[in-house]
Amino acid sequence: MILDKIDENRLLIALSSEDLKFLDVSINRLNWKYEFSSEIINNLLAKAESEIGFFCSNKKLLIEAIPQSNGCFVLVTLLSNRLDSARKIYKIKNKSKPFAFFFKTPDSLFALVERLYNGRFSFFDSSIIEIKNSYFLVLYIKGAISSNLLAVISEYGRFAGKSAVAAARLVERGNVIIKNRAIEELGKYLLT
């Protein structure tokens, strides 16, 4: 058994399969529904208080049991006692937009990749996908695509779509040749 005080509000308890056997409890029964399990958890919390100074008496707790291959982790989080505090919700915003382009031959795609690799074009990420001997380049660009970049790409291929759905369809239907940083990865081999 390992007791680890992550910070003032969180405690991690690692229980091996031997610890669970010694406590005579399974991961499925390690919850507050069972009186025996709540006694075990209270004993573990008392041990954490005496050994590592994690104090949680008379406080609201969130207790999560997370199975692992050789036992489980029990994560204890102290919750705020203030009823008026609103729960914060965070969203991860991805401001890059995928733009997909179609190429009939690998030669036209390679020529464009070489030009983009050598040029000073701005894009966040890139992928190359093959579908039925046709090739697609998906560029992830922050904001709008520049007219300069669009003009260069149109010399080699044609516009195929602009949305996360279009990019997802290509990945779903095709064979992903290079998933991330395709321009950088392929470009360095084309120049050598």
Side-chain angles (χ1 to χ4, degrees), residues 1-8 10-14 44-56 76:
M1 174 186 322
I2 300 172
L3 300 171
D4 184 22
K5 184 177 177 181
I6 297 170
D7 57 31
E8 293 303 313
R10 292 182 296 166
L11 168 72
L12 181 66
I13 304 170
L44 292 172
L45 293 175
K47 187 172 182 163
E49 187 173 318
S50 66
E51 290 184 12
I52 60 173
F54 184 78
F55 299 99
C56 59
V76 180

Side-chain angles (χ1 to χ4, degrees), residues 120-148:
R120 295 193 172 146
F121 299 102
S122 177
F123 47 88
F124 179 68
D125 201 358
S126 55
S127 300
I128 295 176
I129 301 161
E130 182 265 334
I131 300 175
K132 297 180 183 176
N133 295 324
S134 296
Y135 297 88
F136 292 86
L137 172 67
V138 179
L139 292 177
Y140 295 86
I141 299 171
K142 291 184 179 179
I145 191 167
S146 72
S147 58
N148 233 4

Side-chain angles (χ1 to χ4, degrees), residues 77-164:
T77 305
L78 297 178
L79 300 176
S80 173
N81 284 333
R82 295 184 309 162
L83 296 175
D84 59 342
S85 65
R87 185 174 186 182
K88 291 183 182 179
I89 298 174
Y90 297 95
K91 288 186 179 181
I92 298 172
K93 293 183 178 179
N94 184 359
K95 295 188 178 188
S96 64
K97 296 175 187 170
F99 292 83
F101 300 92
F102 168 78
F103 301 87
K104 287 183 181 178
T105 65
D107 292 337
S108 58
L109 174 62
F110 293 159
L112 174 67
V113 167
E114 187 174 345
R115 190 153 173 204
L116 292 178
Y117 184 75
N118 287 329
R120 295 193 172 146
F121 299 102
S122 177
F123 47 88
F124 179 68
D125 201 358
S126 55
S127 300
I128 295 176
I129 301 161
E130 182 265 334
I131 300 175
K132 297 180 183 176
N133 295 324
S134 296
Y135 297 88
F136 292 86
L137 172 67
V138 179
L139 292 177
Y140 295 86
I141 299 171
K142 291 184 179 179
I145 191 167
S146 72
S147 58
N148 233 4
L149 179 58
L150 196 54
V152 169
I153 295 171
S154 64
E155 291 178 31
Y156 302 94
R158 64 180 169 85
F159 182 72
K162 173 187 91 167
S163 72

